[in-house]
Amino acid sequence: MASDEIQIQLTPVGRLKCTEIEAAAKRIWPEAYSSILKPGQIEYMLEMMYSPTALSRDFHSGIQYRWIERAGTRNGFLAYGPVSRGSSCELHKLYIEAEVRGQGIGKGAMETLTHEMEKIGAKSMRLRVNRHNESAISFYQRVGFSITEEDKLDIGGGFVMDDFLMEKPL
């Protein structure tokens, strides 16, 4: 690793730490999405994706959560999986705390995760991103993802996820 690159560790989150992930999401999400989603949809999606029941379901389905850490300090989290040799791996979540965004932490996390996926033998990583989240789309393009499709997904409660699907070959 070059001396100007940020050293990032992806530390596994245990199943019993769901409340810590939930707390991080409740801290990060409102700020990250307030300009593109209504408060009611943010609250609905936080419950849908980060309640203890939802997180437990993720763990049981093979989704792995990792803290994104720099110098022993948590700077966000990501979730991916399940992953296996020769298949695509879904990147479900990648969130960086607002006060450290723009410092290369997200890029370092993606480089570390990409290396892990390559070692396992995954053929690509895929994700969905809100089509109005221009900063996230730009970030994902900078780290090697391309838009492959557009998708609208009814998530219940009268809400829709209006997304781009993106993929990065490994």
Side-chain angles (χ1 to χ4, degrees), residues 4-8 68 70 73-75 96-109 111 139 142:
D4 62 340
E5 291 180 347
I6 292 180
Q7 299 244 343
I8 297 295
I68 299 168
R70 175 181 59 176
T73 300
R74 287 183 187 165
N75 291 269
I96 307 295
E97 299 280 357
E99 62 272 9
V100 294
R101 270 188 226 132
Q103 296 179 18
I105 294 167
K107 180 177 184 250
E111 288 170 352
F139 166 77
R142 284 193 311 274

Side-chain angles (χ1 to χ4, degrees), residues 19-170:
T19 55
E20 292 178 24
I21 290 288
E22 180 184 20
K26 286 181 176 180
R27 195 173 49 254
I28 295 169
W29 260 65
E31 181 274 328
Y33 288 106
S34 64
S35 66
I36 56 178
L37 298 177
K38 293 185 172 137
Q41 183 165 355
I42 292 171
E43 290 172 29
Y44 179 84
M45 291 180 73
L46 279 169
E47 179 64 24
M48 179 183 87
M49 296 166 58
Y50 295 101
S51 69
T53 300
L55 290 167
S56 180
R57 187 174 44 245
D58 281 356
F59 279 108
H60 287 295
S61 70
I63 294 173
Q64 299 180 47
Y65 281 78
R66 299 284 187 265
W67 293 116
I68 299 168
E69 297 179 336
R70 175 181 59 176
T73 300
R74 287 183 187 165
N75 291 269
F77 66 94
L78 58 79
Y80 65 90
V83 61
S84 61
R85 178 171 294 287
S87 66
S88 291
C89 178
E90 192 78 21
L91 177 61
H92 298 278
K93 302 164 183 12
L94 173 61
Y95 294 103
I96 307 295
E97 299 280 357
E99 62 272 9
V100 294
R101 270 188 226 132
Q103 296 179 18
I105 294 167
K107 180 177 184 250
M110 283 303 308
E111 288 170 352
T112 302
L113 182 60
T114 296
H115 182 68
E116 287 183 20
M117 295 300 101
E118 289 172 340
K119 283 175 34 181
I120 292 168
K123 71 174 187 172
S124 66
M125 278 194 285
R126 295 180 303 186
L127 61 85
R128 36 182 341 120
V129 60
N130 185 295
R131 67 183 304 120
H132 303 292
N133 193 340
E134 294 173 10
S135 63
I137 294 165
S138 176
F139 166 77
Y140 288 124
Q141 288 172 328
R142 284 193 311 274
V143 297
F145 284 83
S146 300
I147 296 170
T148 58
E149 297 178 55
E150 298 179 27
D151 186 53
K152 286 189 181 183
L153 179 64
D154 184 337
I155 58 171
F159 300 112
V160 172
M161 287 178 30
D162 187 8
D163 295 332
F164 287 132
L165 305 182
M166 300 183 80
E167 187 165 11
K168 174 182 180 168
L170 299 176

